[in-house]
Amino acid sequence: MNNTRNAQYPIDGSRDALWMATATQAPETAPLTEQVRCDVAIIGGGFTGLNAAIELANQGTSVCVIEAKNLGFGASGRSGGQVNLGLNLLPSDLISQFGEEAGNRLVQLILTAPDHVFNLIEKHQMRCDPVRNGWIQAAANRSHEALHSRMSIEYERHGYEFKPLDQAQLYQQTGTRRYLSGLFCPTAGSIQPLSYTRELARVAIASGASIFTDSPVNGLQREPDGWLVNSAKGQIKCEQILVCSNGYTGPLIKGLAKKVVPVRSVLIASEPLPQHLQDTIMPGQVTLVDKRRLILYMRYDRDGRLCIGDHGPMRDSFNLDDFEPVKKRALEVFPQLKNIKWDYHWGGRVAMTQSKIPFLYRVEPGLTAVMGYNGRGVGMGSLMGKVAAETILRKDDDQSDFPVTRPKSFTMHRFHGAGVNMTVKWYALLDHLDAIQRKQ
């Protein structure tokens, strides 16, 4: 807990996360120290890689997961833990981009993202504090309301029903008057993300997968009968490789890191709120996100701590004062938090793509990459692991429920930090102008 520390106190985005203090015990794993063989090697032990491992193992495929750090070191152990619908785009956007048949198939797929997560948790009795009371997206201005109306209409055509909330209904469910209205998604919820990651690993191991941690991959070598995955003290000989490194993608595969831009998200968690505040702030234990350009997202943990996330500075090291803006924004939404202490501070990378949707990418035969969840990593990252595994097993890209594409690279990627900082400032200005207009 960080209440007595000075503003420049360093924060470790993984070690200092609330989830580290409340997670279930991780299964026993070890570094790779010898040469092993398998059908598929998965690089990255997060939501995507572990879901893929479970699917592959259950289909009788031998699989090894190799993770550079500890399980859940990346976004899978640092996220807000909201389990939402898969994508930010509208169905019409997806159909326009991929065509009628593939677009409709994709829409139906993303609607299943929460079901995939919660069904998996129930099936394997995962201890990860699942709560499925729905998700509310709040509209701060009239343009957001217009978008919500369009979302409702379009998704209803595909068999999914959002529930519109007027300002009074929104206040009843959330306890804030900061927004004009909202949209309720009944199938969404939240989980303890690090516990979920560790439980995925437990299930993967029980299904027959091997998991190696603290084993950074330092090279990939093409061989006549497949691939060689090299680490400092061991190797994996395999037929295929699946790369699931997301926002922590490095230079291992030429050009792959340019397909995503890692932005930083920071989170805070309060002390356990007294019951009178829990009764007035999101009393139904829903998750909440606003629809502004710089979103604010909120949920409770199992102990009644309010967890709130926002954008952060474009670096991997944090100081305590980096979290002041999210605390200020939290008070704008819930002034009743004025005297509450903030016990936990943490953050990490979120991978953004040019298309605003993830990609499933055949880099070359036998080498596939899947990543880029644009802030929807719990649900979509989990689902994409399963989809990627099915695609590898089927070996027919045209039959994949998620389009197999060649994602665009970000131009001038080396300057992405400066570009993101400029974009954040521009979005902050636009959100400020929207707020002024609303008050007039």
Side-chain angles (χ1 to χ4, degrees):
M1 300 185 186
N2 306 306
N3 294 312
T4 62
R5 299 170 181 172
N6 65 56
Q8 293 302 310
Y9 186 88
I11 297 295
D12 185 293
S14 174
R15 182 195 63 218
D16 292 333
L18 165 65
W19 314 129
M20 276 290 186
T22 62
T24 57
Q25 185 174 352
E28 185 175 346
T29 59
L32 179 65
T33 57
E34 58 185 348
Q35 185 177 96
V36 299
R37 293 175 177 269
C38 65
D39 297 325
V40 181
I42 298 174
I43 300 175
F47 298 146
T48 304
L50 294 171
N51 268 270
I54 292 170
E55 182 67 22
L56 289 167
N58 285 337
Q59 296 297 325
T61 302
S62 60
V63 57
C64 294
V65 178
I66 183 166
E67 164 61 43
K69 301 286 189 178
N70 52 282
L71 292 169
F73 172 81
S76 297
R78 310 187 194 202
S79 77
Q82 292 192 4
V83 186
N84 299 328
L85 292 184
L87 301 180
N88 294 306
L89 298 182
L90 292 169
S92 59
D93 297 325
L94 300 175
I95 293 170
S96 175
Q97 183 170 344
F98 296 108
E100 193 74 26
E101 182 180 348
N104 278 305
R105 197 161 65 232
L106 179 54
V107 172
Q108 293 306 312
L109 175 71
I110 67 174
L111 291 174
T112 69
D115 286 338
H116 170 75
V117 173
F118 288 110
N119 289 346
L120 195 66
I121 290 170
E122 183 177 5
K123 178 180 179 180
H124 297 287
Q125 294 298 293
M126 295 182 181
R127 297 168 298 153
C128 57
D129 307 329
V131 176
R132 200 175 190 184
N133 292 338
W135 164 70
I136 293 175
Q137 190 177 79
N141 56 48
R142 298 301 178 191
S143 65
H144 297 164
E145 289 190 311
L147 180 59
H148 280 170
S149 177
R150 188 178 169 192
M151 285 177 63
S152 294
I153 293 170
E154 288 202 18
Y155 275 103
E156 188 174 2
R157 292 174 184 157
H158 292 271
Y160 188 86
E161 187 174 350
F162 285 101
K163 179 182 178 182
L165 304 173
D166 61 26
Q167 192 169 41
Q169 292 169 324
L170 182 66
Y171 174 72
Q172 185 178 22
Q173 291 217 35
T174 66
T176 179
R177 301 186 186 277
R178 178 69 178 79
Y179 306 104
L180 298 178
S181 61
L183 206 61
F184 178 70
C185 170
T187 59
S190 65
I191 45 94
Q192 210 277 25
L194 182 56
S195 290
Y196 173 58
T197 303
R198 291 176 173 180
E199 289 288 87
L200 285 171
R202 173 183 63 79
V203 174
I205 293 170
S207 301
S210 298
I211 299 178
F212 303 100
T213 50
D214 298 307
S215 302
V217 175
N218 55 31
L220 304 178
Q221 183 178 334
R222 179 63 112 154
E223 297 203 316
D225 57 347
W227 292 87
L228 197 62
V229 179
N230 295 302
S231 189
K233 297 180 180 180
Q235 297 174 316
I236 302 174
K237 288 182 68 70
C238 59
E239 295 179 10
Q240 297 200 65
I241 299 172
L242 179 62
V243 182
C244 308
S245 45
N246 206 40
Y248 293 81
T249 300
L252 180 66
I253 300 171
K254 185 178 179 181
L256 184 59
K258 295 181 180 180
K259 308 295 185 185
V260 295
V261 162
V263 302
R264 275 65 174 181
S265 182
V266 294
L267 297 101
I268 55 176
S270 71
E271 62 184 328
L273 295 187
Q275 193 60 51
H276 75 275
L277 287 183
Q278 292 188 47
D279 290 341
T280 60
I281 296 176
M282 294 158 54
Q285 297 280 314
V286 296
T287 63
L288 173 66
V289 62
D290 69 21
K291 190 54 186 169
R292 287 180 289 183
R293 297 169 183 86
L294 300 179
I295 67 169
L296 200 67
Y297 52 98
M298 315 173 199
R299 49 78 58 96
Y300 279 104
D301 83 333
R302 69 184 183 204
D303 298 318
R305 298 181 186 274
L306 189 61
C307 309
I308 303 180
D310 194 2
H311 69 281
M314 281 301 294
R315 46 185 159 80
D316 289 322
S317 59
F318 303 112
N319 297 319
L320 204 55
D321 58 357
D322 291 327
F323 298 83
E324 289 306 309
V326 65
K327 295 175 185 178
K328 180 179 178 181
R329 291 187 70 188
L331 288 175
E332 291 174 356
V333 178
F334 295 115
Q336 54 267 56
L337 294 172
K338 181 178 179 181
N339 297 317
I340 289 298
K341 295 178 181 178
W342 298 101
D343 284 347
Y344 292 91
H345 306 73
W346 73 99
R349 302 183 190 180
V350 177
M352 313 298 286
T353 62
Q354 272 208 347
S355 64
K356 299 182 181 179
I357 64 173
F359 59 78
L360 180 55
Y361 171 36
R362 296 280 197 186
V363 182
E364 59 179 280
L367 178 59
T368 304
V370 56
M371 61 188 71
Y373 305 115
N374 299 274
R376 299 288 180 92
V378 182
M380 204 61 195
S382 297
L383 183 61
M384 287 300 291
K386 180 176 184 292
V387 170
E390 292 170 342
T391 303
I392 287 174
L393 292 171
R394 190 182 297 116
K395 299 181 180 179
D396 184 352
D397 293 350
D398 291 337
Q399 295 302 310
S400 175
D401 288 334
F402 192 95
V404 180
T405 60
R406 184 178 183 86
K408 292 182 179 179
S409 298
F410 284 89
T411 56
M412 302 185 72
H413 185 270
R414 73 179 69 179
F415 304 112
H416 73 263
V420 171
N421 280 330
M422 290 174 61
T423 301
V424 167
K425 291 179 180 179
W426 175 242
Y427 282 176
L429 175 61
L430 294 177
D431 285 339
H432 177 67
L433 294 175
D434 285 344
I436 293 175
Q437 185 178 24
R438 180 190 168 202
K439 292 178 181 178
Q440 291 177 344

